[in-house]
């Protein structure tokens, strides 16, 4: 069977390495990014550029969106030169951005009205797993659409899970990101507590990573804490957004409220563009 032509919208921290993996696997990829400069590197690697989401979907069979938030995805779907400007029979859109289950269901509905198929497939894992093709892909939608997308998921991730109807992927993503928030805040608080009592950051991070409490996230964030530098791999504003979405979905557990307030406080204090681990600066 011929390889599908791929379209990709959103070349931020995640989209860029994910497209590189599709190019490496010899897929034909057309890209669109609001800020055109971010397309250049991928064009040099063999991608072609589209002038609008509408032009992009006309050229492609399967289109991915990897954008900041609900508003960005809605804009790319609905504006005059958006993905849904015309009917595109049988094409498949896969949204990998983390957005609300409610918006996800709305997008599937309006896509279907244009005879376009839809999957929600947000990802767990940050820039490094995106580069390595080892993301965990959380999928909602029909098994038929999932099977169609599976060869592409196999390139982008180490595993993909079909979790249920449209919106199931988004719901799972909000839950895992709550756990991520707890990990990040817990790591920061623990290191600061130890430091206050005379245990260096370096020693405490070694203890954490060698103990049963160490995990992928504590290891990934260790260098940034040691160098006290937090360039965004996963921007703090995005985790704040995800916690807010979880709140809107009814998350109201004992640790949630203080966690949300902490990230709200960090965002209000100008840390939104830095990495999530920059939370340590305001604790
Ligand atoms: P990012 O680096 O901030 O990139 C965001 C992308 O969205 C950029 O391409 C940006 O275009 C585009 N965008 C924003 N608003 C737009 C609009 N109104 N119209 C068109 N394009 C718009 O974000 P990221 O880190 O790649 O994350 C993307 C998504 O994946 C988010 O939903 C995030 O929560 C989720 N996620 C991120 C990570 C991570 O570790 N980074 C991990 C898992 C999931 P411009 O270049 O023009 O600004």
């Amino acid at each position: 069977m011929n390889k599908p032509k791929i379209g990709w919208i959103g070349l931020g921290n995640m989209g860029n390495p994910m497209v590189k993996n599709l190019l490496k696997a010899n897929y034909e990829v057309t890209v669109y990014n609001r800020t055109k400069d971010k397309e250049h590197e991928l064009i040099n690697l063999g991608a072609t550029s589209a002038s609008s989401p509408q032009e992009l979907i006309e050229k492609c069979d399967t289109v991915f969106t990897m954008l900041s938030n609900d508003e960005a995805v809605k804009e790319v779907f609905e504006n005059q030169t958006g993905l849904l400007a015309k009917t595109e029979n049988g094409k498949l859109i896969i949204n990998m951005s983390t957005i609300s289950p409610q918006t996800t269901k709305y997008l599937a509905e309006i896509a279907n009205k244009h005879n376009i198929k839809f999957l929600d497939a947000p990802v767990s894992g940050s820039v490094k797993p995106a580069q390595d093709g080892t993301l965990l892909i959380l999928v909602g939608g029909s098994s038929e659409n999932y099977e169609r997308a599976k060869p592409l998921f196999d390139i982008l991730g180490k595993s993909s899970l079909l979790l249920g109807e449209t919106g199931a992927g988004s719901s799972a993503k909000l839950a895992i990101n709550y756990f991520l928030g707890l990990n990040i805040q817990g790591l920061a608080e623990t290191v600061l507590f130890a430091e206050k009592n005379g245990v260096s950051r370096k020693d405490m991070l070694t203890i954490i990573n060698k103990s049963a409490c160490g995990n992928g996230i504590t290891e990934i964030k260790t260098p940034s804490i040691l160098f006290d530098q937090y360039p965004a791999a996963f921007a703090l504003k995005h985790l704040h957004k995800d916690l807010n979405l979880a709140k809107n979905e009814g998350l109201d557990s004992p640790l949630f409220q203080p966690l949300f307030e902490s990230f709200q406080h960090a965002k209000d204090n100008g840390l939104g563009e830095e990495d999530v681990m920059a939370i340590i600066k305001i604790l």
Side-chain angles (χ1 to χ4, degrees):
M1 205 180 88
N2 283 345
K3 281 183 165 177
K5 290 183 180 158
I6 308 299
W8 195 287
I9 303 182
L11 303 173
N13 289 325
M14 296 296 283
N16 171 298
M18 294 168 86
V19 169
K20 282 181 186 158
N21 284 334
L22 292 171
L23 289 169
K24 261 187 236 153
N26 290 320
Y27 278 87
E28 208 177 295
V29 186
T30 304
V31 293
Y32 170 85
N33 197 67
R34 181 181 59 178
T35 307
K36 287 292 176 193
D37 289 359
K38 292 188 193 168
E39 293 178 358
H40 294 159
E41 187 193 1
L42 296 163
I43 291 167
N44 287 336
L45 292 172
T48 50
S49 166
S51 61
S52 67
Q54 181 187 348
E55 189 194 305
L56 178 136
I57 196 168
E58 276 170 11
K59 290 184 177 174
C60 300
D61 306 301
T62 301
V63 174
F64 290 88
T65 49
M66 193 47 156
L67 300 156
S68 305
N69 53 28
D70 289 47
E71 291 68 36
V73 183
K74 276 188 183 165
E75 202 178 312
V76 162
F77 271 63
E78 292 190 294
N79 79 13
Q80 268 191 343
T81 56
L83 286 172
L84 304 184
K86 285 195 195 151
T87 299
E88 292 286 347
N89 286 339
K91 300 203 171 176
L92 172 65
I93 301 179
I94 304 172
N95 176 52
M96 300 193 106
S97 333
T98 306
I99 60 170
S100 71
Q102 204 187 351
T103 298
T104 299
K105 287 176 196 156
Y106 168 73
L107 295 173
E109 203 180 299
I110 57 173
N112 290 342
K113 280 188 187 153
H114 287 76
N115 291 339
I116 296 171
K117 297 166 191 299
F118 181 90
L119 285 174
D120 51 307
V123 301
S124 178
S126 191
V127 172
K128 182 77 170 61
Q131 289 167 341
D132 297 345
T134 56
L135 293 163
L136 176 57
I137 303 174
L138 312 173
V139 190
S142 75
S143 53
E144 188 192 331
N145 292 338
Y146 172 71
E147 289 306 327
R148 179 170 161 185
K150 179 102 183 5
L152 300 167
F153 292 153
D154 289 346
I155 292 163
L156 300 171
K158 64 179 171 193
S159 178
S160 61
L161 299 167
L162 179 61
L163 298 161
E165 299 289 300
T166 301
S170 299
S171 296
K173 174 63 185 166
L174 297 187
I176 189 67
N177 270 20
Y178 173 45
F179 191 48
L180 171 68
L182 293 171
N183 270 266
I184 294 285
Q185 175 98 11
L187 178 60
E189 289 184 13
T190 302
V191 166
L192 292 175
F193 169 61
E195 193 172 50
K196 205 170 162 190
N197 288 287
V199 181
S200 73
R201 285 189 180 200
K202 190 165 181 290
D203 285 342
M204 195 60 223
L205 286 162
T206 302
I207 295 165
I208 292 169
N209 288 324
K210 283 190 185 294
S211 77
C213 302
N215 60 29
I217 200 72
T218 63
E219 281 174 17
I220 287 171
K221 297 304 176 192
T222 287
S224 61
I225 298 174
L226 286 177
F227 295 115
D228 206 20
Q229 282 180 3
Y230 308 96
F234 181 34
L236 190 143
K237 67 177 179 191
H238 289 325
L239 185 59
H240 171 269
K241 171 226 4 156
D242 298 345
L243 293 173
N244 197 34
L245 292 175
K247 185 166 159 231
N248 294 338
E249 291 300 307
L251 182 55
D252 189 22
S253 54
L255 290 178
F256 177 74
Q257 197 52 35
L259 182 71
F260 182 68
E261 280 166 18
S262 177
F263 278 87
Q264 181 69 56
H265 182 54
K267 187 166 170 264
D268 293 344
N269 280 275
L271 297 178
E273 299 299 330
E274 295 194 42
D275 190 65
V276 278
M277 203 61 241
I279 193 74
I280 198 168
K281 291 195 198 174
I282 53 108
L283 292 176

